[in-house]
Amino acid sequence: MTKIYAHRGFSSIYPENSMDSIKEAIKYDYIDGIEIDVRMTKDKKFVLIHNRDISDISKDIGNVNDYTLEELKKIDFHYNKTDYKISLLKSFINKDGVLQRKRLKKIRKYTYKVVTLEEVLDIIKDKILLIEIKYNTFDKFDLKEFYNIISKYKNKNIEIQCFSKKIIKDLKKIDNKLKLGILIWDTNIEEKIKIKTNFISIKDNVINSNILDNELYKKKIINIWTVDYYKQFRNLVKNVDGKINELNIITNYPDLIYKYLNNLNKK
């Protein structure tokens, strides 16, 4: 049965990766997991921030790696301006546009303080925590220090994903019992599929029934990202020949996806 993951917390109500967005997602039984983005600070602390450059969610500039945790904690962060404008535009053509515009208006002037990985792990309880490690060749990320933190929470249901094959392979060397996944957003995917992981997270406009029939896929759990609007959901169902209940969905609008799934399964 489909699991629903709240993308960066309940980010259609509160700013992405904020403590309020995490706490909001924890409230609802139909949300199975919470996806977050993690970056490392200058002093090797791990915080929830999507972009490397903080200028899009604060009045400050610079990369997360250039700030200590103490320095980041002094900054007032706000919603992502780019994501807000895109969501506002899409809401006018979305089936549930009126509801979404009300939510967008609610968060327009909302600010928050940066959240650490430990702060989330302390409150997550029985939900799956899907951690995306934000990394490319320009980023600094100490995997051993990261592992030292998550290993203190063995009672938590933790999954880890990344676009980087190197990160996933290195984590597997550290602990081959970790639940690991590779992120995919292009059509040249076979090389990534062959990596030994527990799951794959693939872009919604890439997945199709032919991919699902691939023997390599049949051995893995499949997450689809990021499905927010009814048209996306409808196209996804069509592209996978109705096998939607075999997939998990990562979404900024978990309440709407829950409604769409219920309506579909009643038919």
Side-chain angles (χ1 to χ4, degrees):
M1 200 65 183
T2 300
K3 286 186 173 67
I4 297 175
Y5 289 80
H7 186 237
R8 305 174 193 170
F10 212 135
S11 55
S12 56
I13 296 181
Y14 293 105
E16 63 182 42
N17 289 315
S18 66
M19 183 57 79
D20 282 336
S21 72
I22 305 298
K23 288 181 176 179
E24 185 70 17
I26 289 173
K27 291 180 183 178
Y28 302 98
D29 291 339
Y30 62 81
I31 296 177
D32 301 283
I34 300 171
E35 186 265 1
I36 60 173
D37 304 301
V38 172
R39 291 186 176 275
M40 190 181 76
T41 66
K42 186 177 182 180
D43 53 342
K44 295 189 177 183
K45 306 298 181 182
F46 298 93
V47 293
L48 277 59
I49 296 180
H50 180 267
N51 291 358
R52 181 188 306 111
D53 187 342
I54 65 171
S55 63
D56 199 40
I57 53 172
S58 76
K59 293 180 180 179
D60 293 72
I61 59 172
N63 297 337
V64 177
N65 285 162
D66 298 329
Y67 288 84
T68 65
L69 176 59
E70 184 180 359
E71 290 168 338
L72 287 174
K73 283 287 189 182
K74 293 177 182 177
I75 297 173
D76 286 329
F77 290 98
H78 50 68
Y79 62 84
N80 184 303
K81 295 189 290 291
T82 303
D83 283 356
Y84 171 76
K85 289 175 183 177
I86 292 172
S87 296
L88 184 63
L89 178 63
K90 285 184 176 180
S91 71
F92 284 95
I93 59 173
N94 186 59
K95 185 177 180 181
D96 295 275
V98 175
L99 177 62
Q100 291 183 27
R101 284 197 296 277
K102 286 180 180 177
R103 285 176 172 158
L104 290 166
K105 185 176 180 180
K106 180 179 180 180
I107 68 171
R108 191 175 294 171
K109 295 181 180 179
Y110 192 84
T111 60
Y112 65 97
K113 295 296 184 180
V114 72
V115 182
T116 66
L117 176 58
E118 291 99 322
E119 286 172 333
V120 176
L121 285 165
D122 285 339
I123 66 168
I124 201 66
K125 296 183 179 178
D126 57 343
K127 301 252 186 239
I128 301 166
L129 184 64
L130 176 55
I131 302 170
E132 180 181 343
I133 294 176
K134 305 302 292 185
Y135 173 84
N136 63 30
T137 53
F138 300 104
D139 295 315
K140 297 174 184 177
F141 202 96
D142 190 323
L143 283 179
K144 289 184 178 179
E145 188 62 31
F146 170 78
Y147 178 74
N148 287 340
I149 291 172
I150 62 170
S151 61
K152 297 175 185 176
Y153 295 85
K154 294 186 183 297
N155 61 324
K156 308 290 184 177
N157 193 349
I158 300 172
E159 299 174 349
I160 304 163
Q161 64 180 5
C162 189
F163 280 104
S164 168
K165 295 180 291 184
K166 182 181 185 304
I167 288 286
I168 296 303
K169 289 178 178 178
D170 287 349
L171 274 173
K172 199 170 186 65
K173 290 176 183 176
I174 294 173
D175 186 347
N176 62 10
K177 293 182 180 178
L178 291 172
K179 297 177 184 177
L180 303 173
I182 193 80
L183 276 152
I184 300 171
W185 73 334
D186 52 33
T187 53
N188 185 21
I189 58 179
E190 192 152 329
E191 182 184 355
K192 283 190 173 182
I193 300 173
K194 290 178 180 177
I195 299 173
K196 291 183 178 181
T197 59
N198 304 93
F199 63 94
I200 294 168
S201 291
I202 187 167
K203 190 74 180 75
D204 68 292
N205 59 1
V206 174
I207 192 72
N208 57 55
S209 58
N210 291 331
I211 290 175
L212 289 179
D213 289 336
N214 186 312
E215 290 300 321
L216 292 170
Y217 268 92
K218 289 180 179 179
K219 299 175 182 178
K220 300 176 188 286
I221 296 168
I222 301 175
N223 300 332
I224 308 297
W225 59 277
T226 307
V227 184
D228 288 340
Y229 304 99
Y230 181 74
K231 185 177 179 180
Q232 279 181 287
F233 179 82
R234 184 186 63 196
N235 289 340
L236 174 62
V237 173
K238 181 181 177 181
N239 290 340
V240 299
D241 289 341
K243 298 176 183 176
I244 190 70
N245 289 324
E246 298 177 18
L247 310 172
N248 300 326
I249 296 179
I250 300 171
T251 175
N252 294 298
Y253 296 90
D255 55 337
L256 299 186
I257 294 301
Y258 178 67
K259 183 177 79 172
Y260 299 157
L261 283 166
N262 276 346
N263 291 342
L264 179 69
N265 290 325
K266 286 176 183 177
K267 294 180 181 179

